[in-house]
Amino acid sequence: MNDTIIAGLLGLLEGLTEFIPVSSTGHILLAGHFLGFTSSGKTFEVLIQLGAILAIVGVYAQRLIHVFASAPQDPAARRFILTVLVAFLPAAIIGVAAHGIIKTILFETPILIASMLVLGGVILLWVDRLNLPERETDAMRLSPTLAFKIGLFQCLAMIPGVSRSGSTIVGAMLMGVSKRAAAEFSFFLSMPTMAGAFTYDLYKSRDLLNAKDIDLITIGFVAAFISGIFVVRGLLDFVGRHGYAAFGWWRIIVGTAALALIYAGY
């Protein structure tokens, strides 16, 4: 396959996996590894994620417009905006500080990525089976303190294969947030997180990109946006009915298969 086709496939994969707790970055890095796809400074793998995030903005557009429009008069709207920003803060600080290590070492270690997929799958299965109390059922009414703690969990996703959504969902559930509300708050938190990652990575990699890179990023970006819309629309209902066990098993299967291929020399 040529790079254009691979870029489209990786974009579809990004949109399908960004919002479920399976690590979209881990999936596209491993897929790129086995397909022989390389990008300048691993920028493609980061920048196409904003396409999936725009799917969230599209699905939640009416609610987001209402929140920002009512914020000057509504304390609850201002509180919600504050909670999301507070949760975003830890990842912003650590992401900037560790950007070089993440891109040049962690992104380039397929064994680590596959191992994290397996380990994260085991943890997700364990947490999903716990009879955890659900003290918070509204993702838009979490306290800033709770949101900050969830944001600390999100920092674990600096290691590819851990999963940004997975770490935030697990952290939220362990602190008494319902499964559905944990997934929805992960949606909201993804907006500033991935917008920030996109902006900072684009700035850091601006001298590495050429016309071909931009074309491939555009293809992946659009594909991620389209596939992301379908996932966002159906994920909350699926989680409410079935929990997260299916995603845990998926992680274990994919991670184990990737490790087998790596050790076989692929």
Side-chain angles (χ1 to χ4, degrees):
M1 289 185 289
N2 63 39
D3 284 350
T4 300
I5 296 174
I6 294 176
L9 292 175
L10 292 180
L12 290 173
L13 182 60
E14 161 61 30
L16 292 172
T17 56
E18 175 61 44
F19 306 111
I20 61 178
V22 299
S23 180
S24 62
T25 302
H27 275 68
I28 61 177
L29 286 172
L30 286 175
H33 169 77
F34 292 121
L35 291 172
F37 178 83
T38 59
S39 66
S40 301
K42 294 295 182 183
T43 301
F44 173 91
E45 289 82 353
V46 174
L47 298 188
I48 66 169
Q49 295 181 48
L50 189 64
I53 300 308
L54 290 181
I56 283 281
V57 176
V59 172
Y60 281 90
Q62 186 174 358
R63 190 186 301 190
L64 292 172
I65 291 171
H66 174 74
V67 167
F68 283 101
S70 62
Q73 299 84 27
D74 186 358
R78 293 197 298 272
R79 179 185 174 91
F80 168 67
I81 295 171
L82 175 63
T83 59
V84 174
L85 293 178
V86 166
F88 162 63
L89 188 60
I93 295 172
I94 295 177
V96 170
H99 181 267
I101 295 174
I102 295 168
K103 294 293 292 295
T104 61
I105 297 177
L106 300 183
F107 271 34
E108 301 286 355
T109 313
I111 291 178
L112 172 66
I113 298 169
S115 299
M116 289 299 101
L117 283 175
V118 174
L119 177 60
V122 172
I123 293 173
L124 196 59
L125 287 173
W126 170 65
V127 172
D128 190 61
R129 293 175 182 176
L130 294 177
N131 186 24
L132 296 169
E134 295 185 350
R135 297 183 295 273
E136 303 287 348
T137 58
D138 189 340
M140 300 187 73
R141 294 186 178 275
L142 303 184
S143 71
T145 300
L146 177 57
F148 181 77
K149 293 176 181 178
I150 295 173
L152 292 175
F153 272 89
Q154 180 178 237
C155 294
L156 296 173
M158 301 295 176
I159 304 172
V162 170
S163 171
R164 186 204 57 77
S165 60
S167 58
T168 56
I169 287 169
V170 167
M173 289 172 56
L174 290 174
M175 289 182 283
V177 181
S178 70
K179 292 178 181 180
R180 184 184 179 95
E184 191 166 32
F185 188 75
S186 176
F187 286 174
F188 294 132
L189 183 54
S190 71
M191 297 181 201
T193 301
M194 298 317 304
F198 177 95
T199 302
Y200 188 71
D201 199 72
L202 182 60
Y203 168 74
K204 296 290 287 186
S205 305
R206 64 192 185 282
D207 295 330
L208 300 176
L209 299 177
N210 54 43
K212 180 183 178 182
D213 293 324
I214 295 172
D215 288 343
L216 295 178
I217 289 168
T218 301
I219 292 168
F221 185 99
V222 173
F225 172 77
I226 294 171
S227 58
I229 288 177
F230 292 100
V231 174
V232 173
R233 291 188 183 280
L235 180 61
L236 293 181
D237 288 339
F238 179 89
V239 168
R241 292 194 303 268
H242 305 291
Y244 294 101
F247 304 123
W249 285 115
W250 174 260
R251 292 178 63 111
I252 292 171
I253 292 169
V254 172
T256 301
L259 285 171
L261 290 171
I262 292 168
Y263 283 110
Y266 290 96

